[in-house]
Every structure is written in structure tokens, then in C-alpha cells.
Amino acid sequence: MSFSSSPSSPERSHRLAVGSFLEEFTNKVDILEFDSETTSFHSNPSLSFDHPYPPTKLMFHPSPSKSPDLLASSGDFLRLWEIHPNQQSVEARSLLNNSKTSEFCAPLTSFDWNESEPRRIGTSSIDTTCTIWDIERGVVETQLIAHDKEVYDIAWGEAGVFASVSADGSVRIFDLRDKEHSTIIYESSQPETPLLRLAWNKQDLRYMATILMDSNKVVILDIRSPTMPVAELQRHRASVNAIAWAPQSCRHICSAGDDSQTLIWELPTVAEPGGIDPILAYSAGSEINQLQWSASQPEWIAIAFADKMQLLRV
């Protein structure tokens, strides 16, 4: 799922892109509009399009007022789609393949669109690499062998700084000014336990969050003090699947998981013995696998479970 991030355009302000997860080649992406006054969704069949394989991530352009109305998706390749609301159509703009030797490439697990430099998208792949694309020129800016095993997620901090998490159990930070080196800021307490997701706090870049495979905890990291988490949030009763920082607050984070719970946490200024409890909780109908917090309307959180999507008002 992805929220449209344009606050200035009413017709874009409450839009979401939603992708299917079908174990077959042909999947779907739908562009939905949400009317907050009637709290109802409107789907436009002409803005629905086929997607090869399930999209592993969807993201709208972070600065839509300065660009065409673009949506990016990852799966077998990184793809850019241009949405034409007036013509009621979606156009495949580009397919970005970083393989020099084949028409195929290793599947992409995730990507992140750089808010400071929107021409840059970073992708993560099962082939242990992270690739930085210049999407305006359609070329690879750089490709880094980032980890010893599959890279599962990537997140930008500043214009030239990104972090990644991997099946090797580490969080690494890269600076494009020094491509030869990376900094390991965290490794799984259980050796070789994969890290699945990474979220960088855009309100305070000192902090990031990650989740471990088959674990009920959310690990909060401070990049100034590597190796030791500043907090571990452990009130989920089953595996955590998704995390999202509040777009308007540096101390709030949301998590969701296999216990059907969506929890919002307020991080303490000092560590609390025994851990902290969430300040808000919501129970869904089944295991939650996706979570998005709207940057342009921070009162809305979207969750996905089974074949449903819900919007929660905070």
C-alpha cells in the first residue's frame, strides 16, 4: 500500500495505491480515493492495472507537485507508472533492470524513494546488493554489495545516506560519498536471525526501527550508540510484520503483526525498566501484513489483512 503524499492537491490528497498478493504471474494494482467526509472508498476501474508478480512495495512520488503523477513499484524489476486522472488511464513509464548480462534480474524485496533527491530511488535485492537509480536518466548511479545475504529492506536518511537490513541479521548505514565502507549499527541478538523491515525516523534522523523474523519485538536504534538498542517494544503476542514512524512526531511509532493488533507507542525520554506499553491499540479481523501512516494526513493509518484494507483514525 502507499498513500499519495501531495498535501496541496485535493484530488490527490486522499489517494492510496493497493497491490494484490496472488501466487501467480498476473497481479493487480488499484488506485483508490478516500472521501473523509463520507468515510467511503471509491475505486476507478480505469486506474487499475495489471502488475507482473505481486508488488513487494508501492510508493507515490514524494514531491508530486514538482513532477508527473508517478507511482513506483518493485517486484521482478523497478517500474514507474504515470497516472493520468483526467484521461482516466495509467501509463507504464519505465522498467529499470540493473542486470548487464540478462533480461532478468534478481527479485527486488523493497525500495525507497529519496525525499531530498527525488531523482534517486534505492532498491534492495535477494542478490545481496542495493542499487541506487537515477530515475530521470534511467541509469544506475551506483550498486553496492551491501550484505552477506539477501537484503530485505532499504531506507533513506539524508540525500546521500541510506540504511539496509538483511538476512545476515545486520543493519548497515551507507554514505554515497564513501562507497567502499558501511557502518554496522546493529546485529541480531540471536545470531543470523534475519531483519525484515527498517524504518528511519524522518523527524529525528538519529533514530530508526527494525523488526526480526518471527519475533514479537520492535527494536529502536540510536545511530549515535551502535550495537545496543535504546528500546525494545515487546507487547505484541505474535510476530511483528510492519512498522511506521509517525510523520508528525519523532517519539511515536506504529507496529502491526500476526496477533491482529495495531499498536501505537510513545517512546520514553529515558529507558523504563520492564519495557513500555502502547498508548493505543486496535484489533483487526486477522493477521495484519501491511501498515502505512499518511504523511500528508497524519490522522490516518492504513492497515491490510486478508483481502481487506482499513483506515484507522488516530
Side-chain angles (χ1 to χ4, degrees), residues 6-22:
S6 172
S8 57
S9 174
E11 71 274 10
R12 296 188 193 182
S13 60
H14 281 298
R15 268 192 335 185
L16 294 104
V18 183
S20 64
F21 185 84
L22 305 172

Side-chain angles (χ1 to χ4, degrees), residues 65-78:
S65 58
K66 300 176 183 176
S67 81
D69 194 2
L70 295 179
L71 177 75
S73 68
S74 55
D76 52 348
F77 302 106
L78 177 65

